[in-house]
Amino acid sequence: MSSHYEAPIREPLVLGDKTYHDISVDVAAPVLGKANKSWWIVFTIALVAFLWGLGCIIYTVSTGIGVWGLNKTIGWAWDITNFVWWVGIGHAGTLISAVLLLFRQKWRMAVNRSAEAMTIFAVVQAGLFPIIHMGRPWLAYWVLPIPNQFGSLWVNFNSPLLWDVFAISTYLSISLVFWWTGLLPDFAMIRDRTQSPFQKKIYGILSFGWSGRVKDWQRFEEVSLVLAGLATPLVLSVHTIVSFDFATSVVPGWHSTIYPPYFVAGAIFSGFAMVQTLLIIMRKVSHLESYITVLHIEYMNKVILLTGGIVTVAYAIEFFIGWYSGVPYENYTYLSFGAATGPYWWAFWALITCNFIVPLTLWVKSLRRNIMWTFIVALIINIGMWFERFDIIVVNISKDRLTSSWTMFQPTFVDIGTFIGTIGFFFVLFLLYARTFPVIAQAEVKTIMKSSGEAFKRLRAQHGDDHSHVQHVEQYPADAGPASNVEKHFDSTFDEATPEALNIDDVDYEQNKGRIEMLLNSVGTFEPSLQKQDNLQKINGIGPVLEQKLHQIGIFTFDQISRMTDREYELVEEIISEFPGSPKRDDWAGQALTLKNKN
Amino acid sequence: MAATKIYAIYKDDDLLMQAVKQTRSANYHISEVFTPFPVHGLDHAVGIAPTRIAITAFLYGLVGLSVAVAMMNFMMIQDWPQNIGGKPSFTFYQNMPAFIPIMFELTVFFAGHLMVITFYMRSKLWPFKKAENPDPRTTDDHFLMEVDAENHDLEMLTKFLYDTGASEISLIEKEEDH
């Protein structure tokens, strides 16, 4: 059908000859499989960092904020730096899922799930800092406009800090429902694929009983579209409001009208850098190279280039206006000659190098498509964006209007430990997510398969744009006949095929005698008088035809299949002509082992 | 009363679309379709009405905006007016520029959450709800069309569905639930 047409000049977004079923298998694999050693190592490191940070937070709360390195001049430092850094990172997810949905960018589908997960986990980290900074976090509910015992003294709706409370909590909760709504069909897929009753139960609850009715899908698409429309201005408003924390003050360097758009661009810049950092690792570990391709990485690099460019222009304007104003205080702001040559010169140059100079390399196409280099640049941008917030907060107030109070900031181990702890907490959440959630929005990826899948693009190139896109994949070979599950009382009068006549070629026993003996020697023979035969079709990848052929060879039980190794797989494939399965990919032996143990 | 249905399973979305159109033009009634992903234009082909959920979102947004205005007017202007940084608090109108961010946030908050809750309620989605897709493969790569078989010659209907490209056809006696 021509409705799947996509300009041939566009590179495919799904590589390889994937079928819909392959997508399900690939996305469910990390959830249904077991964690490997490197996952446990990284998880342990993250957990230790998290616990260390938790200790620092407990120490802060029980002793007081005096344990931080704050002084009379610098009353805001790492806490707010880390808060803004984490909120900024949390901007890529909703940008990908909302803004790119409105722009109908198909490449978002491979990355949106993880980017949204990252968003939610990053905003959780961000929210920790203001709460710790309160000193008495058990009174955190005071930021809410609720009637109270102080004569109903209300919260101050004129304050940008209160706007932050509303913006961040709205952002967190809307991102969460957006994410979860998109997850329902994918949880349902795992629910229907898993063999384990425990997983079936859990994913049944998580999927909210999603059934995939046509009306559900219609509402689902409408809800996604409206949520995207709501989340797009929301994501822009959140960092705008964060920037108001500074822009509405009277501190030189903070009091700047350019802050809202500049902060938003910076947030997207750092968010995409974090997405790159996470996904470049995840696509390797979870074997998702066919879905998160070099093209996706290049697209994200282009967003980084654009937003990085906006940030650079904003730096230049800040620098110029500070100088042009002729106000002496402006010469000590974070983007000024004074800052570049003063005691915080290293922070200034870290900002310029990491956010301006290094990302410039992405203008080169070969570097933009180089995965290793992208990873390095993404890490550098993460560092650079942390320095940007550090510079804005600490450098700007380190030299205030009173020369006698000029000072530097020295972090204590608690400052550092808390920051590292939030990084650990973030990775703990993300690693757990990567093992238990469908990390790619598989239902959405299936919708772009025929327009953007490599195999279908090739098909159109070879046979023209009007070529039929009906997939002919032999997954359940029963479709040689009308149906394998036609009920018994229903007599079919089809001439060409009845369920019994599946047009199966019998296995040529004489020719394969040696191979069959070899096979049965290693997997064992079936004794009808002692053993019961198993329903081999329970194994994923074995359909009625294949089952029949296996029976002809003499394989009837899970026990026999569970003893198969690569050598036996090869034998089976040699014996059975026109072999319609892939025992190794589907891991027959592993599946059979689980099924056998359940019997 | 039990209803007789036929489940026809297709293995491709284009095939399903074609089959839905053929089945409808042959005057058979399609009572439900289960698909693993949103098939573009299927709702139109099956003939279901457009969803009104976007309208509810707009109304919920208006509710959120009203709540924000009423709340801030009461708290900052009526109940306990204060001089905060010289910002005028005599009337709501004068103080309003400072209220814009929260008016926006609450509009989005109400519209987004209440719309999603409406969606979950209307589509009967909630924790511990049992899934109702008749075949587990419909969340993977199979497409199931449920056709009313009452008052039809079963053999003709089955032959017809088979000709539309169904790979599996089964007859179901179903307890009527609506």
Side-chain angles (χ1 to χ4, degrees), chain B residues 104-118:
Chain B
F104 169 76
E105 298 299 334
L106 286 186
T107 307
V108 169
F109 187 88
F110 274 66
H113 287 293
L114 293 179
M115 173 183 66
V116 169
I117 290 171
T118 308

Side-chain angles (χ1 to χ4, degrees), chain A residues 191-342:
Chain A
R191 172 197 73 207
D192 290 343
R193 277 196 66 72
T194 179
Q195 304 286 344
S196 127
F198 175 71
Q199 279 188 328
K200 212 170 214 44
K201 180 108 195 127
I202 294 294
Y203 287 104
I205 295 169
L206 294 180
S207 67
F208 289 9
W210 176 267
S211 307
R213 290 191 180 83
V214 58
K215 187 74 189 177
D216 297 350
W217 279 120
Q218 186 196 39
R219 292 194 184 115
F220 176 92
E221 292 208 287
E222 187 86 352
V223 164
S224 307
L225 187 65
V226 175
L227 274 182
L230 290 169
T232 300
L234 179 66
V235 72
L236 301 182
S237 84
V238 173
H239 228 62
T240 299
I241 291 175
V242 169
S243 80
F244 285 164
D245 293 349
F246 305 100
T248 59
S249 73
V250 290
V251 176
W254 288 3
H255 185 78
S256 175
T257 46
I258 204 178
Y259 263 23
Y262 152 50
F263 264 52
V264 170
I268 296 164
F269 183 52
S270 67
F272 269 85
M274 189 57 107
V275 174
Q276 296 273 40
T277 315
L278 295 174
L279 288 190
I280 285 175
I281 298 174
M282 201 178 77
R283 71 192 279 277
K284 262 260 142 359
V285 175
S286 300
H287 306 295
L288 299 169
E289 289 99 332
S290 303
Y291 305 99
I292 303 170
T293 65
V294 175
L295 184 66
H296 290 87
I297 291 171
E298 189 189 5
Y299 280 147
M300 288 194 274
N301 276 335
K302 285 180 178 171
V303 177
I304 288 178
L305 264 182
L306 173 72
T307 50
I310 296 173
V311 169
T312 305
V313 171
Y315 291 163
I317 292 174
E318 286 277 83
F319 199 99
F320 171 75
I321 295 292
W323 167 78
Y324 188 64
S325 69
V327 177
Y329 304 118
E330 291 281 343
N331 192 33
Y332 302 117
T333 62
Y334 73 112
L335 283 168
S336 63
F337 187 76
T341 55

Side-chain angles (χ1 to χ4, degrees), chain A residues 527-564:
Chain A
E527 286 295 332
S529 50
L530 300 171
Q531 293 168 291
K532 243 181 73 189
Q533 89 179 55
D534 293 317
N535 179 8
L536 297 183
Q537 289 186 51
K538 279 189 181 166
I539 292 174
N540 214 329
I542 300 187
V545 174
L546 202 51
E547 186 187 38
Q548 204 167 326
K549 289 193 174 180
L550 289 171
H551 286 174
Q552 286 173 3
I553 309 176
I555 293 176
F556 289 90
T557 61
F558 294 143
D559 186 45
Q560 284 173 308
I561 292 184
S562 68
R563 292 203 199 106
M564 287 189 178

Side-chain angles (χ1 to χ4, degrees), chain A residues 1 3-4 19-22 24-25 145-146 150-160 162-163 166-171 173-174 177-178 180-181 184-185 188-193 201 204-205 207-224 226-227 230-231 233-234 237-238 241 244 442-444 446-447 450 468-487 489-494 496-497, chain B residues 6-7 9 11-15 17-18 21 32-44 46 48-55 57-58 71-72 74-76 79-80 82-84 87-89 95 97-102 104-113 115-116 118-143 154-155 158-160 162-163 166-173 177:
Chain A
M1 254 181 241
S3 62
H4 297 302
T19 63
Y20 294 142
H21 181 65
D22 291 337
S24 309
V25 172
I146 43 177
F150 308 113
S152 261
L153 183 62
W154 300 106
V155 289
N156 176 12
F157 286 102
N158 291 302
S159 164
L162 188 75
W163 304 345
F166 279 80
I168 304 241
S169 40
T170 302
Y171 184 59
S173 63
I174 291 284
V177 296
F178 200 176
W180 205 269
T181 304
L184 295 180
M189 182 274 286
I190 293 183
R191 172 197 73 207
D192 290 343
R193 277 196 66 72
K201 180 108 195 127
I205 295 169
S207 67
F208 289 9
W210 176 267
S211 307
R213 290 191 180 83
V214 58
K215 187 74 189 177
D216 297 350
W217 279 120
Q218 186 196 39
R219 292 194 184 115
F220 176 92
E221 292 208 287
E222 187 86 352
V223 164
S224 307
V226 175
L227 274 182
L230 290 169
L234 179 66
S237 84
V238 173
I241 291 175
F244 285 164
Q442 51 90 24
E444 288 189 83
K446 284 172 184 171
T447 65
K450 288 188 174 177
S468 164
H469 284 85
V470 174
Q471 291 193 68
H472 295 289
V473 182
E474 289 290 300
Q475 187 220 331
Y476 292 96
D479 66 334
S484 57
N485 64 348
V486 172
E487 296 194 357
H489 64 268
F490 174 70
D491 292 312
S492 168
T493 51
F494 304 142
E496 57 269 25
Chain B
I6 282 190
Y7 287 161
I9 291 186
K11 306 213 310 185
D12 188 89
D13 45 342
D14 291 332
L15 209 56
M17 276 293 276
Q18 187 189 317
K21 285 175 188 157
E32 195 58 84
V33 183
F34 295 90
T35 62
F37 56 83
V39 178
H40 209 72
L42 183 66
D43 48 348
H44 185 70
V46 175
I48 54 176
T51 173
R52 295 163 294 178
I53 207 143
I55 302 168
F58 178 74
M71 176 181 76
M72 287 187 286
F74 172 71
M75 292 177 184
M76 303 304 288
D79 190 42
W80 192 311
Q82 292 175 91
N83 183 344
I84 295 159
K87 286 176 187 167
S89 60
N95 209 162
F99 298 157
I100 296 280
I102 291 180
F104 169 76
E105 298 299 334
L106 286 186
T107 307
V108 169
F109 187 88
F110 274 66
H113 287 293
M115 173 183 66
V116 169
T118 308
F119 167 49
Y120 288 173
M121 291 294 131
R122 289 289 288 153
S123 284
K124 300 194 166 58
L125 300 165
W126 48 75
F128 299 102
K129 174 79 169 43
K130 246 187 107 50
E132 286 163 354
N133 49 333
D135 190 310
R137 291 171 301 172
T138 60
T139 53
D140 177 5
D141 62 342
H142 283 52
F143 304 79
L154 283 183
E155 264 173 40
T158 314
K159 177 87 175 75
F160 170 80
Y162 178 67
D163 288 342
S167 56
E168 293 171 29
I169 296 167
S170 48
L171 186 70
I172 302 293
E173 292 289 331
D177 55 350

Side-chain angles (χ1 to χ4, degrees), chain A residues 258-558:
Chain A
I258 204 178
Y259 263 23
Y262 152 50
F263 264 52
V264 170
I268 296 164
F269 183 52
S270 67
F272 269 85
M274 189 57 107
V275 174
Q276 296 273 40
T277 315
L278 295 174
L279 288 190
I280 285 175
I281 298 174
M282 201 178 77
R283 71 192 279 277
K284 262 260 142 359
V285 175
S286 300
H287 306 295
L288 299 169
E289 289 99 332
S290 303
Y291 305 99
I292 303 170
T293 65
V294 175
L295 184 66
H296 290 87
I297 291 171
E298 189 189 5
Y299 280 147
M300 288 194 274
N301 276 335
K302 285 180 178 171
V303 177
I304 288 178
L305 264 182
L306 173 72
T307 50
I310 296 173
V311 169
T312 305
V313 171
Y315 291 163
I317 292 174
E318 286 277 83
F319 199 99
F320 171 75
I321 295 292
W323 167 78
Y324 188 64
S325 69
V327 177
Y329 304 118
E330 291 281 343
N331 192 33
Y332 302 117
T333 62
Y334 73 112
L335 283 168
S336 63
F337 187 76
T341 55
Y344 273 117
W345 63 271
W346 45 273
F348 175 90
W349 289 108
L351 165 80
I352 298 294
T353 312
C354 298
N355 289 350
F356 166 47
I357 296 171
V358 173
L360 283 181
T361 56
L362 296 179
W363 285 100
V364 182
K365 183 160 181 164
S366 59
L367 289 176
R368 201 160 64 218
R369 293 178 75 98
N370 182 322
I371 295 173
M372 200 58 217
W373 181 247
T374 301
F375 185 71
I376 294 169
V377 170
L379 277 182
I380 290 174
I381 293 172
N382 284 325
I383 296 167
M385 285 308 289
W386 189 86
F387 268 105
E388 183 197 294
R389 280 61 178 259
F390 176 80
D391 289 7
I392 288 174
I393 292 157
V394 172
V395 177
N396 274 333
I397 53 179
S398 69
K399 291 193 175 181
D400 61 7
R401 291 190 171 88
L402 197 62
T403 324
S404 61
S405 55
W406 286 8
T407 184
M408 302 275 285
F409 174 77
Q410 197 69 47
T412 64
F413 82 94
V414 186
D415 284 301
I416 299 167
T418 310
F419 180 47
I420 290 173
T422 56
I423 295 176
F425 190 15
F426 176 77
F427 276 96
V428 164
L429 292 173
F430 197 83
L431 286 164
L432 288 175
Y433 151 82
R435 297 233 25 94
T436 50
F437 279 56
V439 293
I440 282 182
Q442 51 90 24
E444 288 189 83
V445 171
K446 284 172 184 171
T447 65
I448 60 161
M449 268 288 291
K450 288 188 174 177
S451 58
S452 313
E454 190 186 13
F456 288 94
K457 278 189 170 285
R458 205 184 313 125
L459 209 64
R460 279 197 296 275
Q462 283 165 359
H463 304 286
D465 295 334
D466 292 327
H467 187 75
S468 164
H469 284 85
V470 174
Q471 291 193 68
H472 295 289
V473 182
E474 289 290 300
Q475 187 220 331
Y476 292 96
D479 66 334
S484 57
N485 64 348
V486 172
E487 296 194 357
K488 284 289 172 282
H489 64 268
F490 174 70
D491 292 312
S492 168
T493 51
F494 304 142
D495 337 309
E496 57 269 25
T498 57
E500 284 309 301
L502 290 175
N503 293 334
I504 305 172
D505 301 322
D506 283 350
V507 173
D508 192 341
Y509 187 75
E510 288 307 314
Q511 200 188 322
N512 290 308
K513 203 168 177 183
R515 294 202 189 102
I516 293 178
E517 270 171 19
M518 246 160 69
L519 181 66
L520 292 182
N521 273 342
S522 48
V523 301
T525 48
F526 174 67
E527 286 295 332
S529 50
L530 300 171
Q531 293 168 291
K532 243 181 73 189
Q533 89 179 55
D534 293 317
N535 179 8
L536 297 183
Q537 289 186 51
K538 279 189 181 166
I539 292 174
N540 214 329
I542 300 187
V545 174
L546 202 51
E547 186 187 38
Q548 204 167 326
K549 289 193 174 180
L550 289 171
H551 286 174
Q552 286 173 3
I553 309 176
I555 293 176
F556 289 90
T557 61
F558 294 143

Side-chain angles (χ1 to χ4, degrees), chain A residues 54-203:
Chain A
L54 199 64
C56 289
I57 291 173
I58 291 169
Y59 179 51
T60 306
V61 171
S62 56
T63 310
I65 297 180
V67 299
W68 292 350
L70 301 177
N71 53 49
K72 273 185 195 160
T73 306
I74 300 171
W76 261 13
W78 277 43
D79 48 337
I80 302 300
T81 301
N82 298 339
F83 162 72
V84 182
W85 189 68
W86 278 118
V87 173
I89 286 171
H91 271 58
T94 309
L95 187 100
I96 289 175
S97 51
V99 180
L100 298 186
L101 187 146
L102 295 184
F103 283 107
R104 300 279 175 218
Q105 292 295 305
K106 292 174 185 164
W107 61 272
R108 79 173 197 285
M109 291 166 181
V111 293
N112 62 358
R113 176 68 39 76
S114 298
E116 283 174 56
M118 180 203 78
T119 288
I120 290 161
F121 303 151
V123 174
V124 167
Q125 309 311 323
L128 281 176
F129 284 99
I131 291 176
I132 305 166
H133 201 168
M134 286 172 186
R136 289 179 288 171
W138 51 92
L139 297 180
Y141 68 91
W142 281 10
V143 302
L144 301 175
I146 43 177
N148 53 66
Q149 68 272 47
F150 308 113
S152 261
L153 183 62
W154 300 106
V155 289
N156 176 12
F157 286 102
N158 291 302
S159 164
L161 295 178
L162 188 75
W163 304 345
D164 251 356
V165 173
F166 279 80
I168 304 241
S169 40
T170 302
Y171 184 59
L172 179 64
S173 63
I174 291 284
S175 300
L176 198 65
V177 296
F178 200 176
W179 189 53
W180 205 269
T181 304
L183 272 165
L184 295 180
D186 297 358
F187 279 144
M189 182 274 286
I190 293 183
R191 172 197 73 207
D192 290 343
R193 277 196 66 72
T194 179
Q195 304 286 344
S196 127
F198 175 71
Q199 279 188 328
K200 212 170 214 44
K201 180 108 195 127
I202 294 294
Y203 287 104

